Amino acid sequence: GQQVMQIPQYQHVQEGEDFTTYCNSSTTLSNIQWYKQRPGGHPVFLIQLVKSGEVKKQKRLTFQFGEAKKNSSLHITATQTTDVGTYFCAGLSAGGTSYGKLTFGQGTILTVHP
Amino acid sequence: EAQVTQNPRYLITVTGKKLTVTCSQNMNHEYMSWYRQDPGLGLRQIYYSMNVEVTDKGDVPEGYKVSRKEKRNFPLILESPSPNQTSLYFCASSPRQGTYSNQPQHFGDGTRLSIL
C-alpha cells in the first residue's frame, strides 16, 4: 500500500533559524495537505497542494509539491517560538479505488529554543 | 460554532470490555474518518466514510468497527479492546474527499484511551 515517509522525525532549532521538513511518497499523489499540531492539541489544516511543481507561501512558511507529485516540503524561515509543534503531511493517492484513503507522514516535531 | 465533537475525551478501561467513542460534526460534511496517533508513527487511518452508509477500511482497521447511519455521526466501536489499542484517537471530517476534491479535514480534540 501507499507509504508516506517524513523526515526528520525531530528538529531542534534556535529561534531565528530556518526549518525544513520533507515528505516522500511511495506512489504518485493526487494532492498533498499539510497540518500543524500544537502540543496537546489536534491537527490543524495549513494548506493543500494539487499541481505538479506547485509552490505556495503563507508568511514565513513555504510549501512545495514535487514535479513528479511524489514528494513535498515545508520550509519555515526565521522560526519563532510560536512555530513549535508537530508538522504532518497527508497524501491522497492518485487513481485506484481508495478515493478517500489519506496517508499521513510520521510527522516532524519542531522545538524552538528562544 | 463549526466543530467536531468526540466523547469521551479520556477513558481508562479493561481488556475485553466493549466501548464506543462517539464523533459528531455539525458542518454537514460528507466525509468522516478515524485516526489513531502513536509516538513515532504519526496519524494512521483506521476507517473512513465517504457518506452515509458508506465505510471503508484505512490502514489499521483490525479490532475496530464503525457505522455511519446518519451524516453527522461516526462512532468508533472497540468490541473487545486490548492493550495494543491504547492510543490517542482523532475523528475528522471534511466536506468531501476524493481524487479531485481533496478538502481540508477538521479534527476533533481527541480521545485518549488506556486499555489495561
mmCIF file of all heavy atoms in Angstrom, chain A residues 31 33 35 48 92 99-102, chain B residues 30-31 50 93-105:
data_model
loop_
_atom_site.group_PDB
_atom_site.id
_atom_site.type_symbol
_atom_site.label_atom_id
_atom_site.label_comp_id
_atom_site.label_asym_id
_atom_site.label_seq_id
_atom_site.Cartn_x
_atom_site.Cartn_y
_atom_site.Cartn_z
ATOM 1 N N ASN A 31 -2.924 14.816 -4.504
ATOM 2 C CA ASN A 31 -2.625 16.081 -3.854
ATOM 3 C C ASN A 31 -2.061 15.816 -2.462
ATOM 4 O O ASN A 31 -2.049 14.669 -1.999
ATOM 5 C CB ASN A 31 -3.865 16.977 -3.784
ATOM 6 C CG ASN A 31 -5.079 16.215 -3.352
ATOM 7 O OD1 ASN A 31 -5.032 15.441 -2.409
ATOM 8 N ND2 ASN A 31 -6.188 16.413 -4.040
ATOM 9 N N GLN A 33 -1.648 17.526 1.631
ATOM 10 C CA GLN A 33 -2.016 18.540 2.594
ATOM 11 C C GLN A 33 -0.965 18.586 3.704
ATOM 12 O O GLN A 33 -0.288 17.598 3.970
ATOM 13 C CB GLN A 33 -3.382 18.205 3.224
ATOM 14 C CG GLN A 33 -4.529 18.214 2.239
ATOM 15 C CD GLN A 33 -5.843 17.795 2.881
ATOM 16 O OE1 GLN A 33 -5.876 17.180 3.947
ATOM 17 N NE2 GLN A 33 -6.947 18.111 2.219
ATOM 18 N N TYR A 35 -0.497 19.788 7.850
ATOM 19 C CA TYR A 35 -1.168 20.106 9.107
ATOM 20 C C TYR A 35 -0.133 20.438 10.169
ATOM 21 O O TYR A 35 0.995 19.944 10.145
ATOM 22 C CB TYR A 35 -2.002 18.906 9.586
ATOM 23 C CG TYR A 35 -3.202 18.587 8.728
ATOM 24 C CD1 TYR A 35 -3.070 17.848 7.556
ATOM 25 C CD2 TYR A 35 -4.467 19.020 9.085
ATOM 26 C CE1 TYR A 35 -4.164 17.551 6.765
ATOM 27 C CE2 TYR A 35 -5.582 18.724 8.310
ATOM 28 C CZ TYR A 35 -5.412 17.999 7.151
ATOM 29 O OH TYR A 35 -6.505 17.711 6.367
ATOM 30 N N GLN A 48 -3.126 23.017 1.105
ATOM 31 C CA GLN A 48 -3.228 21.889 0.193
ATOM 32 C C GLN A 48 -2.512 22.238 -1.102
ATOM 33 O O GLN A 48 -2.653 23.345 -1.612
ATOM 34 C CB GLN A 48 -4.699 21.573 -0.096
ATOM 35 C CG GLN A 48 -4.909 20.494 -1.147
ATOM 36 C CD GLN A 48 -6.358 20.114 -1.296
ATOM 37 O OE1 GLN A 48 -6.951 19.549 -0.374
ATOM 38 N NE2 GLN A 48 -6.936 20.417 -2.441
ATOM 39 N N LEU A 92 -3.068 11.976 -0.683
ATOM 40 C CA LEU A 92 -4.150 11.189 -1.258
ATOM 41 C C LEU A 92 -3.610 10.552 -2.522
ATOM 42 O O LEU A 92 -3.123 11.240 -3.412
ATOM 43 C CB LEU A 92 -5.336 12.085 -1.590
ATOM 44 C CG LEU A 92 -6.624 11.370 -1.991
ATOM 45 C CD1 LEU A 92 -7.261 10.726 -0.770
ATOM 46 C CD2 LEU A 92 -7.601 12.339 -2.636
ATOM 47 N N TYR A 99 -10.511 6.118 -2.941
ATOM 48 C CA TYR A 99 -10.567 7.558 -3.152
ATOM 49 C C TYR A 99 -10.470 8.357 -1.876
ATOM 50 O O TYR A 99 -10.052 9.497 -1.886
ATOM 51 C CB TYR A 99 -11.866 7.915 -3.879
ATOM 52 C CG TYR A 99 -11.930 7.384 -5.279
ATOM 53 C CD1 TYR A 99 -12.877 6.444 -5.644
ATOM 54 C CD2 TYR A 99 -11.029 7.814 -6.240
ATOM 55 C CE1 TYR A 99 -12.922 5.949 -6.933
ATOM 56 C CE2 TYR A 99 -11.075 7.326 -7.530
ATOM 57 C CZ TYR A 99 -12.025 6.395 -7.873
ATOM 58 O OH TYR A 99 -12.075 5.903 -9.141
ATOM 59 N N GLY A 100 -10.888 7.777 -0.787
ATOM 60 C CA GLY A 100 -10.902 8.557 0.440
ATOM 61 C C GLY A 100 -9.779 8.241 1.395
ATOM 62 O O GLY A 100 -9.754 8.753 2.508
ATOM 63 N N LYS A 101 -8.819 7.453 0.978
ATOM 64 C CA LYS A 101 -7.810 6.965 1.905
ATOM 65 C C LYS A 101 -6.635 7.918 1.933
ATOM 66 O O LYS A 101 -5.870 8.016 0.994
ATOM 67 C CB LYS A 101 -7.362 5.568 1.473
ATOM 68 C CG LYS A 101 -6.564 4.819 2.493
ATOM 69 C CD LYS A 101 -6.505 3.352 2.111
ATOM 70 C CE LYS A 101 -5.608 2.569 3.044
ATOM 71 N NZ LYS A 101 -4.221 3.035 2.997
ATOM 72 N N LEU A 102 -6.525 8.610 3.043
ATOM 73 C CA LEU A 102 -5.434 9.554 3.245
ATOM 74 C C LEU A 102 -4.324 8.889 4.028
ATOM 75 O O LEU A 102 -4.590 8.195 5.014
ATOM 76 C CB LEU A 102 -5.924 10.767 4.030
ATOM 77 C CG LEU A 102 -6.504 11.928 3.252
ATOM 78 C CD1 LEU A 102 -7.102 12.928 4.213
ATOM 79 C CD2 LEU A 102 -5.450 12.588 2.386
ATOM 80 N N GLU B 30 -19.673 15.404 4.280
ATOM 81 C CA GLU B 30 -19.905 14.057 3.774
ATOM 82 C C GLU B 30 -18.859 13.067 4.295
ATOM 83 O O GLU B 30 -19.152 11.919 4.564
ATOM 84 C CB GLU B 30 -19.862 14.062 2.239
ATOM 85 C CG GLU B 30 -21.030 14.773 1.591
ATOM 86 C CD GLU B 30 -21.020 14.664 0.076
ATOM 87 O OE1 GLU B 30 -20.101 14.043 -0.484
ATOM 88 O OE2 GLU B 30 -21.959 15.202 -0.551
ATOM 89 N N TYR B 31 -17.634 13.533 4.395
ATOM 90 C CA TYR B 31 -16.522 12.636 4.697
ATOM 91 C C TYR B 31 -16.181 12.690 6.187
ATOM 92 O O TYR B 31 -16.056 13.769 6.771
ATOM 93 C CB TYR B 31 -15.299 13.067 3.878
ATOM 94 C CG TYR B 31 -14.057 12.231 4.067
ATOM 95 C CD1 TYR B 31 -13.807 11.137 3.253
ATOM 96 C CD2 TYR B 31 -13.126 12.539 5.045
ATOM 97 C CE1 TYR B 31 -12.664 10.360 3.405
ATOM 98 C CE2 TYR B 31 -11.983 11.777 5.209
ATOM 99 C CZ TYR B 31 -11.755 10.699 4.382
ATOM 100 O OH TYR B 31 -10.623 9.944 4.539
ATOM 101 N N MET B 50 -17.162 7.873 3.194
ATOM 102 C CA MET B 50 -17.350 8.894 2.158
ATOM 103 C C MET B 50 -18.726 9.534 2.259
ATOM 104 O O MET B 50 -18.919 10.663 1.774
ATOM 105 C CB MET B 50 -17.161 8.269 0.773
ATOM 106 C CG MET B 50 -15.782 7.662 0.562
ATOM 107 S SD MET B 50 -14.495 8.895 0.376
ATOM 108 C CE MET B 50 -14.706 9.297 -1.359
ATOM 109 N N SER B 93 -13.496 15.360 9.926
ATOM 110 C CA SER B 93 -14.498 15.436 8.861
ATOM 111 C C SER B 93 -14.080 16.482 7.840
ATOM 112 O O SER B 93 -13.299 17.395 8.139
ATOM 113 C CB SER B 93 -15.880 15.782 9.429
ATOM 114 O OG SER B 93 -15.937 17.148 9.809
ATOM 115 N N SER B 94 -14.582 16.320 6.634
ATOM 116 C CA SER B 94 -14.370 17.324 5.592
ATOM 117 C C SER B 94 -15.572 17.294 4.656
ATOM 118 O O SER B 94 -16.308 16.298 4.618
ATOM 119 C CB SER B 94 -13.069 17.066 4.818
ATOM 120 O OG SER B 94 -13.152 15.876 4.075
ATOM 121 N N PRO B 95 -15.789 18.379 3.902
ATOM 122 C CA PRO B 95 -16.965 18.436 3.029
ATOM 123 C C PRO B 95 -17.057 17.239 2.091
ATOM 124 O O PRO B 95 -18.096 16.604 1.966
ATOM 125 C CB PRO B 95 -16.760 19.738 2.255
ATOM 126 C CG PRO B 95 -15.966 20.587 3.179
ATOM 127 C CD PRO B 95 -15.039 19.637 3.894
ATOM 128 N N ARG B 96 -15.936 16.934 1.420
ATOM 129 C CA ARG B 96 -15.860 15.786 0.534
ATOM 130 C C ARG B 96 -14.421 15.300 0.530
ATOM 131 O O ARG B 96 -13.521 15.950 1.040
ATOM 132 C CB ARG B 96 -16.275 16.157 -0.896
ATOM 133 C CG ARG B 96 -17.729 16.508 -1.065
ATOM 134 C CD ARG B 96 -18.052 16.715 -2.515
ATOM 135 N NE ARG B 96 -17.891 15.475 -3.275
ATOM 136 C CZ ARG B 96 -17.936 15.422 -4.594
ATOM 137 N NH1 ARG B 96 -18.095 16.511 -5.307
ATOM 138 N NH2 ARG B 96 -17.797 14.267 -5.222
ATOM 139 N N GLN B 97 -14.196 14.178 -0.081
ATOM 140 C CA GLN B 97 -12.843 13.656 -0.208
ATOM 141 C C GLN B 97 -12.793 12.805 -1.458
ATOM 142 O O GLN B 97 -13.743 12.108 -1.781
ATOM 143 C CB GLN B 97 -12.482 12.799 1.004
ATOM 144 C CG GLN B 97 -11.007 12.753 1.327
ATOM 145 C CD GLN B 97 -10.449 14.081 1.792
ATOM 146 O OE1 GLN B 97 -9.668 14.711 1.103
ATOM 147 N NE2 GLN B 97 -10.868 14.533 2.967
ATOM 148 N N GLY B 98 -11.703 12.906 -2.173
ATOM 149 C CA GLY B 98 -11.599 12.099 -3.374
ATOM 150 C C GLY B 98 -10.493 12.632 -4.250
ATOM 151 O O GLY B 98 -9.875 13.643 -3.952
ATOM 152 N N THR B 99 -10.272 11.969 -5.333
ATOM 153 C CA THR B 99 -9.156 12.303 -6.210
ATOM 154 C C THR B 99 -9.193 13.762 -6.651
ATOM 155 O O THR B 99 -8.170 14.433 -6.718
ATOM 156 C CB THR B 99 -9.171 11.405 -7.460
ATOM 157 O OG1 THR B 99 -9.092 10.047 -7.041
ATOM 158 C CG2 THR B 99 -7.993 11.722 -8.366
ATOM 159 N N TYR B 100 -10.355 14.266 -6.944
ATOM 160 C CA TYR B 100 -10.437 15.632 -7.464
ATOM 161 C C TYR B 100 -11.059 16.603 -6.471
ATOM 162 O O TYR B 100 -11.344 17.743 -6.802
ATOM 163 C CB TYR B 100 -11.228 15.641 -8.774
ATOM 164 C CG TYR B 100 -10.632 14.709 -9.801
ATOM 165 C CD1 TYR B 100 -11.264 13.514 -10.133
ATOM 166 C CD2 TYR B 100 -9.418 14.996 -10.403
ATOM 167 C CE1 TYR B 100 -10.701 12.656 -11.058
ATOM 168 C CE2 TYR B 100 -8.849 14.139 -11.323
ATOM 169 C CZ TYR B 100 -9.503 12.970 -11.647
ATOM 170 O OH TYR B 100 -8.945 12.117 -12.549
ATOM 171 N N SER B 101 -11.280 16.163 -5.275
ATOM 172 C CA SER B 101 -11.931 17.069 -4.329
ATOM 173 C C SER B 101 -11.407 16.853 -2.928
ATOM 174 O O SER B 101 -12.168 16.785 -1.977
ATOM 175 C CB SER B 101 -13.443 16.864 -4.351
ATOM 176 O OG SER B 101 -13.759 15.525 -4.018
ATOM 177 N N ASN B 102 -10.100 16.760 -2.826
ATOM 178 C CA ASN B 102 -9.497 16.611 -1.511
ATOM 179 C C ASN B 102 -9.630 17.922 -0.761
ATOM 180 O O ASN B 102 -9.171 18.963 -1.232
ATOM 181 C CB ASN B 102 -8.032 16.237 -1.679
ATOM 182 C CG ASN B 102 -7.441 15.699 -0.408
ATOM 183 O OD1 ASN B 102 -8.160 15.217 0.447
ATOM 184 N ND2 ASN B 102 -6.134 15.761 -0.291
ATOM 185 N N GLN B 103 -10.270 17.888 0.371
ATOM 186 C CA GLN B 103 -10.518 19.107 1.107
ATOM 187 C C GLN B 103 -10.020 18.976 2.536
ATOM 188 O O GLN B 103 -9.911 17.877 3.067
ATOM 189 C CB GLN B 103 -12.015 19.423 1.078
ATOM 190 C CG GLN B 103 -12.490 19.759 -0.320
ATOM 191 C CD GLN B 103 -13.979 19.967 -0.387
ATOM 192 O OE1 GLN B 103 -14.726 19.375 0.360
ATOM 193 N NE2 GLN B 103 -14.411 20.824 -1.292
ATOM 194 N N PRO B 104 -9.689 20.105 3.162
ATOM 195 C CA PRO B 104 -9.085 20.056 4.492
ATOM 196 C C PRO B 104 -9.994 19.376 5.500
ATOM 197 O O PRO B 104 -11.210 19.539 5.483
ATOM 198 C CB PRO B 104 -8.878 21.530 4.836
ATOM 199 C CG PRO B 104 -9.775 22.282 3.932
ATOM 200 C CD PRO B 104 -9.869 21.466 2.686
ATOM 201 N N GLN B 105 -9.361 18.631 6.367
ATOM 202 C CA GLN B 105 -10.098 17.953 7.416
ATOM 203 C C GLN B 105 -10.111 18.785 8.691
ATOM 204 O O GLN B 105 -9.130 19.423 9.042
ATOM 205 C CB GLN B 105 -9.472 16.591 7.702
ATOM 206 C CG GLN B 105 -9.553 15.637 6.536
ATOM 207 C CD GLN B 105 -9.093 14.261 6.934
ATOM 208 O OE1 GLN B 105 -9.849 13.443 7.448
ATOM 209 N NE2 GLN B 105 -7.832 14.006 6.715
#
